[in-house]
Amino acid sequence: MAAALAMAVLVSGAAVAQTQSTAPSTHGSTKLAFPATLGGATFERSINYAAPPANNPGQGIAYYYSTPKRLAISAQVFDLGRRIQAGSENPSVISQFNTEVASAEQQFKFAGYTNFEKPSVPSVCTYGGVSFRCITYSGVTQANTRIFSKLLLTGFRDSFVKIRVDWSQAHQQTSADAEAALQAFVPALMR
């Protein structure tokens, strides 16, 4: 589990490493609840980007969970200082999704990962009746093992909701494990 969480922190970007404030267990504007256990995953930590030292309210709050199979799940609720239209097909979500994928590729490169792979076009994934723009990407670590992330983004109650699950071949984790984790986690969150 520690390795999976380290991987999640590593690919989450430098802001995560610099920002260590906690967040409320219920997100104020969306009313999404982030309890100690959510869809079988266990809460690990949260980062409130509006609080010091980040002081960036548009980046919202990120919540980190781990599953019994040692997969890392992150959920970030943010608005970038504007109201976000509901759904996965609106221009704001499409634009932000493209930004998130480009950022993920840069973070993989910064971490020293090679052979970044992603499909040429994203998909639409539905969990618990909520549609997300989604994509699975991967890269090869310096230890020559492939790690994977599935990224989901949608507009929900005037905010972006970004969910990502990370898994690794080195831990004998599969895309089926990641999908099972999302099938439990997302509907439990997006009530």
Side-chain angles (χ1 to χ4, degrees):
M1 178 169 63
L5 288 175
M7 177 180 63
V9 169
L10 181 60
V11 296
S12 293
V16 172
Q18 298 169 3
T19 308
Q20 294 299 322
S21 59
T22 58
S25 62
T26 299
H27 184 265
S29 63
T30 63
K31 306 299 182 217
L32 292 173
F34 295 90
T37 303
L38 186 60
T42 303
F43 177 79
E44 297 290 335
R45 65 188 181 92
S46 61
I47 298 172
N48 184 349
Y49 291 102
N55 296 318
N56 190 348
Q59 290 298 316
I61 302 172
Y63 301 86
Y64 296 86
Y65 285 80
S66 61
T67 71
K69 290 193 174 195
R70 302 182 312 162
L71 283 80
I73 298 176
S74 64
Q76 184 177 357
V77 183
F78 62 106
D79 63 15
L80 300 177
R82 63 183 191 268
R83 297 183 84 163
I84 307 304
Q85 215 176 9
S88 61
E89 296 299 320
N90 68 69
S92 294
V93 169
I94 292 168
S95 175
Q96 184 62 31
F97 185 83
N98 292 335
T99 298
E100 296 289 342
V101 173
S103 176
E105 184 170 3
Q106 289 304 312
Q107 290 168 5
F108 267 50
K109 288 178 183 176
F110 179 76
Y113 301 162
T114 59
N115 299 324
F116 185 83
E117 294 180 1
K118 67 176 177 60
S120 57
V121 291
S123 303
V124 173
C125 303
T126 303
Y127 297 95
V130 178
S131 293
F132 294 84
R133 199 157 190 80
C134 61
I135 197 165
T136 299
Y137 52 87
S138 67
V140 176
T141 68
Q142 294 170 351
N144 204 31
T145 61
R146 188 160 286 277
I147 62 165
F148 299 85
S149 293
K150 184 168 185 176
L151 174 68
L152 313 174
L153 186 73
T154 197
F156 184 79
R157 298 181 186 158
D158 297 329
S159 294
F160 291 113
V161 175
K162 176 176 79 171
I163 299 171
R164 193 183 75 223
V165 61
D166 302 322
W167 69 99
S168 169
Q169 288 178 330
H171 293 118
Q172 289 74 47
Q173 299 162 332
T174 67
S175 60
D177 294 332
E179 192 60 31
L182 289 172
Q183 289 291 345
F185 184 86
V186 178
L189 174 62
M190 308 291 288
R191 297 183 207 212

